[in-house]
Amino acid sequence: MLRRVLYIDLDKKESFVEDRYDLFEEWLGGTGVATQLLLEECPEGADPLSPRAPIIFGIGPLTALFPAMTKTVAAFKSPLNGELGESYAGGRLAMAMRFAGHEGLVIRGAAESPCYISIRDDEVKIKDATSIWGIPATVVGYILREVEAGVGRRSIIRIGPGGERLVRYAGVVVDTYRHFGRLGLGAVFGSKNLKAIVVSGTEDVELPNSKRYRDIYNQLFKTVVQTDAMEKYHDIGTPINVNVLNQMKGLPTRNFQDSSFEAAENISGENLADNYLLRRVSCAHCPIGCIHIGMLKTSFSRHHEFEIRKISYDYELIYALGSNLGVTTPEGMLELIEACERQGLDAISTGVVLAWATEALDRGIITEEETLGVPLKWDGVEGYLEAIERIVKAPNDFYSTLARGVVAASDRYGGEDFAMALGGNEVAGYHTGPAFIFGLAVGVRHSHLDNAGYSIDQAAAKKPLTPEEMVDAIIAEDDARGVYNSLIGCLFARGVYTPDRIVEALGSVGIEKTKDDLQILGRKIFDEKYRFKLREGFDLSKSRIPRRFYETVSTVGMVDPETIETMMEIYRERRSWG
Amino acid sequence: MELCETIWGSRRSGEAEDGKGRDMKDLRGGGDAKVAVSDERKKRRLKVAHPERCIGCLSCMFACSRINTRRASLDRSAIRVKTQGGLEGDFAVVICRACKDPPCVRACPRGALEKRENGRVIFKRELCDGCGACAEACLIRAISIDSEGKAIKCKHCGACVAFCPHGVLEMEEVEE
Ligand code: SF4
Ligand code: SF4
Ligand code: SF4
């Protein structure tokens, strides 16, 4: 097992490697270790965009060794909500880190002028990036591919103009089609003058107990390629949810004013797969291949001259830049996705911010004076494209406020009842009921993937659940994901990695744990994340839940604020927070 | 002498993988893809039957290194999946095509590669000094030199076939 953490200091332009057995023994890897590194490295109260705030990356003990163990975690202080910033991305980064020999990566300080970091095994170079500053995230990939070594085994992660200009929800693009999307890692890169990181390595991993390893490997591989759950990601992909949620009244539409969308069929996964899907690709060492790439063909002259763009799409993007903005055509939606890719913005946050602005304009809270004449209206793709550019360029107070997120915008202009964020993070695409809302409020990073409240709601739609049952399910999920995210697996394969199989997989690579050990660890990891959150000022009792959630019918009917209150009380009790 | 890396069909290790692999394919309804069977007389070779179906998951590369070298490694894999212009481009799947008059054999100055009468090419790892002449001689770049300075070349064992989720790879029988 590797236990090596690579520290890079951008102020001093130096790097060193340290073995951190202590951390990996106790915290396994992935998010468990990354959270500890964040607690160590980030001074209390540090400005998230100052050189004092670090960036941490981590992989886990199963990285590159098992199918779908493809994720890298990023931990940082979020410039969007000022507390725990955590995000996961697939692609080839985890494999590249593993073969470069680093299980953790800590970036300190800030560069004086634009730079990028090139990591090749233990060799670290901080290189000048002046000539690529300002270039779209999509294009930076092509450029660095030419100048850097390691074809086929490397990973290139980079920001776009959005991150450079510190849009608080800018993300980091990983290998063209995957992202550290949520909570503003892109802005943290930007604040450090860090445009990109290229990682490649030539090490390999000797497999300790070969037969045991191969047995569990084969079992997992087989299950991953066969299960129905996988079928969903692999065939239509996550966009299969568009039609499903639409039918069950859970598809947020026009800023959550509706929970079903009359044009859902147009932007559905089925329609996209039938008429736009060009191909599917996969993260390194994942046989699922859920990454769906659509082809947007637009003609730019009357003489059959076309522009072809290849754009990866997923459910959350279709919600955020499709139904939630009332966008009725796949072309319009794909174009908006591409705009976010170029600028390097998180699509969910961007969509929610634009949806708020559209409604605010509609209700007269803001006027075209603020929008600088940009007509923000549902399905108004042209206007949205212009607005995205202006959010990045920030030509006036209004757009620079939008660049700080929907909470900042509603604090400044009003309309908090329909500013769709929880814990300061713009919400993902579900209006399924109380478990989703509550799960977002308490989740460590206020993301739908913290505890998947939407799937608890879905279960409740079939057979009603009591608030106790929902809370227990959320807690169990919160804790279990802390462990899974320490391995680190893709959440799409979570069903395949049962506790027994995780124990066996770890054992096969020499890490003996029991199911109980893992359960306790999950709880501890959760607590540690809350330690960081509380330290940085997060206060659950001040949760601001937008009224809109209670005004629009959800999958389980109208949601009653009292249910959320009750769940909150039970939750505190269960977590022994008194 | 270690009879481990032969160009033609038989295999020394990883038989179990084959059996399992077949199950996997069948259960997935993976069509008529032929799976490697250990048979000394039949000549079988690995074929990239549907390169355009590749999703770049690298499962085949990890299978090859895991099963044949007991490592999780890209370098030790005899099959290589290359990106052409990043993930936006197409994938190229590169394997040894088992030439009739293998230039790699002719190029090796140390006799580490030897073509036998039954059609097999034997690779003697201990004779290999990593000079790279074989790799140079193979225009499709199907041979590479690993981090220990030894040649890595496909022995057509078929183990990777079962781990391709997209039916890109097949074993085919070869007439000679
Ligand atoms: S399921 Fe998709 S996101 Fe997850 S590892 Fe596989 S290809 Fe990557
Ligand atoms: S046939 Fe065997 S040696 Fe050749 S690439 Fe596949 S697993 Fe490797
Ligand atoms: S296993 Fe199949 S789909 Fe995956 S990289 Fe290899 S050839 Fe391509």
Side-chain angles (χ1 to χ4, degrees):
Chain A
M1 274 304 114
L2 305 162
R3 288 302 179 243
R4 304 167 81 239
V5 177
L6 172 64
Y7 291 81
I8 300 174
D9 193 318
L10 292 175
D11 286 331
K12 301 190 191 123
K13 297 191 171 50
E14 61 180 32
S15 68
F16 61 92
V17 172
E18 214 176 290
D19 284 319
R20 295 297 307 265
Y21 292 99
D22 56 327
L23 286 185
F24 288 93
E25 286 298 312
E26 187 173 358
W27 300 101
L28 204 56
T31 193
V33 168
T35 305
Q36 293 306 312
L37 287 169
L38 182 65
L39 281 158
E40 277 176 16
E41 294 284 327
C42 187
E44 186 172 339
D47 174 347
L49 297 179
S50 72
R52 294 166 72 214
I55 298 171
I56 319 282
F57 291 104
I59 57 172
L62 303 188
T63 297
L65 297 179
F66 286 96
M69 284 289 150
T70 53
K71 297 281 165 165
T72 305
V73 61
F76 51 100
K77 183 167 174 182
S78 168
L80 181 62
N81 67 7
E83 35 118 340
L84 181 67
E86 196 186 285
S87 188
Y88 295 83
R92 295 190 159 183
L93 179 59
M95 177 187 75
M97 278 180 70
R98 166 60 93 165
F99 289 148
H102 308 295
E103 249 176 307
L105 172 59
V106 173
I107 298 169
R108 296 170 170 161
E112 270 165 28
S113 57
C115 75
Y116 77 95
I117 302 175
S118 160
I119 301 171
R120 199 163 180 217
D121 295 321
D122 275 355
E123 190 189 331
V124 177
K125 288 190 182 141
I126 299 169
K127 298 184 177 176
D128 183 86
T130 323
S131 57
I132 51 172
W133 200 251
I135 288 184
T138 36
V139 181
V140 174
Y142 308 133
I143 297 171
L144 290 182
R145 233 178 265 146
E146 292 293 312
V147 296
E148 286 288 322
V151 191
R153 58 172 65 254
R154 67 190 164 192
S155 177
I156 303 178
I157 75 175
R158 63 268 189 177
I159 59 169
E164 293 172 10
R165 290 169 171 265
L166 311 182
V167 176
R168 299 302 196 269
Y169 41 89
V172 175
V173 179
V174 176
D175 302 328
T176 313
Y177 296 127
R178 300 282 88 181
H179 310 84
F180 288 110
R182 315 255 38 217
L183 292 166
L185 181 63
V188 183
F189 265 55
S191 74
K192 298 190 176 314
N193 269 319
L194 178 58
K195 181 71 177 174
I197 306 178
V198 186
V199 188
S200 73
T202 52
E203 298 215 0
D204 55 20
V205 189
E206 207 174 322
L207 303 166
N209 181 348
S210 220
K211 171 149 173 36
R212 189 174 177 195
Y213 168 70
R214 283 157 69 182
D215 286 349
I216 179 72
Y217 184 99
N218 288 348
Q219 191 191 114
L220 285 162
F221 189 92
K222 204 162 158 174
T223 322
V224 167
V225 289
Q226 280 168 13
T227 52
D228 293 348
M230 290 300 102
E231 197 59 39
K232 153 176 160 190
Y233 294 116
H234 147 119
D235 181 0
I236 309 277
T238 56
I240 194 147
N241 286 342
V242 176
N243 276 340
V244 175
L245 283 162
N246 188 47
Q247 269 157 29
M248 57 168 75
K249 291 201 185 321
L251 178 68
T253 301
R254 289 176 286 263
N255 202 29
F256 285 73
Q257 296 187 79
D258 296 299
S259 51
S260 52
F261 184 36
E262 63 287 352
E265 189 55 47
N266 280 354
I267 55 168
S268 69
E270 288 80 351
N271 187 35
L272 287 164
D274 285 343
N275 299 306
Y276 297 83
L277 181 61
L278 179 67
R279 64 194 296 219
R280 290 172 17 214
V281 295
S282 211
C283 299
H285 211 163
C286 170
I288 300 165
C290 77
I291 307 170
H292 285 58
I293 298 172
M295 186 176 78
L296 180 61
K297 185 172 157 186
T298 34
S299 83
F300 59 86
S301 84
R302 272 178 294 142
H303 309 289
H304 290 93
E305 289 186 286
F306 298 103
E307 224 178 74
I308 307 267
R309 283 171 286 176
K310 299 171 190 172
I311 302 159
S312 76
Y313 59 85
D314 260 305
Y315 169 68
E316 299 299 341
L317 286 67
I318 300 178
Y319 135 75
L321 302 168
S323 66
N324 207 38
L325 293 178
V327 173
T328 52
T329 60
E331 287 80 7
M333 182 202 60
L334 288 171
E335 234 175 302
L336 290 170
I337 294 178
E338 210 233 353
C340 287
E341 292 281 20
R342 291 173 63 81
Q343 301 291 356
L345 298 181
D346 177 49
I348 299 180
S349 289
T350 307
V352 168
V353 165
L354 291 175
W356 172 86
T358 308
E359 191 171 341
L361 185 63
D362 192 36
R363 290 176 187 267
I365 293 172
I366 53 165
T367 65
E368 288 207 1
E369 201 174 311
E370 274 83 24
T371 70
L372 298 174
V374 176
L376 295 172
K377 55 173 199 296
W378 306 124
D379 205 10
V381 174
E382 288 307 315
Y384 290 139
L385 287 170
E386 261 179 75
I388 290 172
E389 212 172 300
R390 289 179 196 218
I391 286 173
V392 174
K393 294 212 171 113
N396 67 356
D397 187 44
F398 173 70
Y399 285 105
S400 70
T401 309
L402 289 190
R404 306 175 76 92
V406 80
V407 172
S410 65
D411 281 351
R412 168 84 170 71
Y413 297 96
E416 43 282 294
D417 287 351
F418 55 88
M420 303 308 287
L422 276 164
N425 192 11
E426 286 77 19
V427 308
Y430 307 85
H431 186 41
T432 49
F436 174 68
I437 301 167
F438 180 76
L440 282 189
V442 299
V444 287
R445 55 200 170 111
H446 312 288
S447 146
H448 62 296
L449 293 174
D450 283 333
N451 44 43
Y454 54 89
S455 81
I456 299 169
D457 285 328
Q458 247 167 295
K462 291 188 194 115
K463 180 181 159 288
L465 296 172
T466 65
E468 282 84 3
E469 287 169 324
M470 288 191 284
V471 168
D472 287 342
I474 283 172
I475 289 180
E477 208 51 46
D478 258 333
D479 293 357
R481 289 187 182 212
V483 173
Y484 193 65
N485 289 338
S486 296
L487 298 173
I488 308 174
C490 175
L491 285 166
F492 295 158
R494 209 178 96 64
V496 172
Y497 282 84
T498 58
D500 285 318
R501 288 188 181 135
I502 292 176
V503 166
E504 187 53 21
L506 284 171
S508 80
V509 295
I511 300 174
E512 299 296 344
K513 295 272 181 209
T514 64
K515 279 197 275 180
D516 283 346
D517 293 343
L518 294 179
Q519 206 176 353
I520 294 166
L521 179 66
R523 176 74 189 242
K524 265 174 57 186
I525 291 174
F526 180 88
D527 288 344
E528 289 295 288
K529 292 188 186 189
Y530 255 78
R531 184 150 77 87
F532 185 83
K533 291 169 77 71
L534 297 175
R535 198 190 82 178
E536 301 303 326
F538 175 69
D539 184 352
L540 186 55
S541 67
K542 298 216 174 80
S543 286
R544 167 195 155 288
I545 298 179
R547 282 220 57 81
R548 179 58 48 78
F549 275 123
Y550 305 131
E551 295 165 351
T552 304
V553 68
S554 79
T555 301
V556 296
M558 295 305 283
V559 181
D560 182 352
E562 265 173 41
T563 314
I564 306 285
E565 292 279 309
T566 316
M567 288 171 79
M568 204 62 96
E569 273 161 39
I570 305 167
Y571 189 84
R572 293 180 167 283
E573 212 179 279
R574 293 280 208 274
R575 287 270 182 213
S576 333
W577 287 345
Chain B
M1 189 191 75
E2 206 190 357
L3 259 184
C4 73
E5 313 230 328
T6 61
I7 285 190
W8 298 114
S10 84
R11 42 189 308 205
R12 185 181 59 92
S13 63
E15 312 286 5
E17 246 70 33
D18 272 347
K20 287 212 177 80
R22 189 168 18 218
D23 286 342
M24 255 179 247
K25 265 243 129 70
D26 291 345
L27 280 165
R28 263 205 330 274
D32 56 350
K34 290 182 203 127
V35 190
V37 186
S38 179
D39 184 335
E40 292 288 333
R41 286 147 305 167
K42 285 258 167 65
K43 289 163 191 156
R44 290 172 170 272
R45 80 176 156 201
L46 178 65
K47 180 181 164 197
V48 185
H50 301 287
E52 60 295 327
R53 293 185 193 166
C54 177
I55 55 172
C57 70
L58 312 185
S59 298
C60 52
M61 294 184 74
F62 280 101
C64 182
S65 66
R66 179 173 69 252
I67 293 159
N68 293 315
T69 72
R70 309 279 188 258
R71 279 167 184 273
S73 166
L74 295 182
D75 279 342
R76 303 290 172 105
S77 167
I79 181 167
R80 279 186 304 139
V81 178
K82 298 199 297 188
T83 48
Q84 311 187 99
L87 291 178
E88 298 100 303
D90 292 335
F91 295 105
V93 183
V94 180
I95 50 157
C96 157
R97 55 191 291 266
C99 306
K100 275 190 182 163
D101 177 17
C104 54
V105 172
R106 281 183 272 128
C108 180
R110 299 179 54 98
L113 291 159
E114 194 183 301
K115 186 169 179 187
R116 289 287 171 88
E117 270 180 19
N118 63 3
R120 292 193 209 163
V121 170
I122 294 170
F123 173 60
K124 299 169 200 157
R125 194 174 162 91
E126 71 284 357
L127 289 184
C128 172
D129 70 353
C131 72
C134 56
E136 195 65 25
C138 173
L139 294 183
I140 56 174
R141 293 287 175 262
I143 303 185
S144 56
I145 306 295
D146 71 18
S147 54
E148 278 170 15
K150 304 280 183 184
I152 291 282
K153 184 179 57 62
C154 175
K155 59 181 178 178
H156 297 266
C157 69
C160 53
V161 174
F163 290 92
C164 174
H166 252 216
V168 173
L169 307 171
E170 286 177 8
M171 288 305 279
E172 65 172 359
E173 270 172 34
V174 193
E175 319 262 314
E176 214 185 359

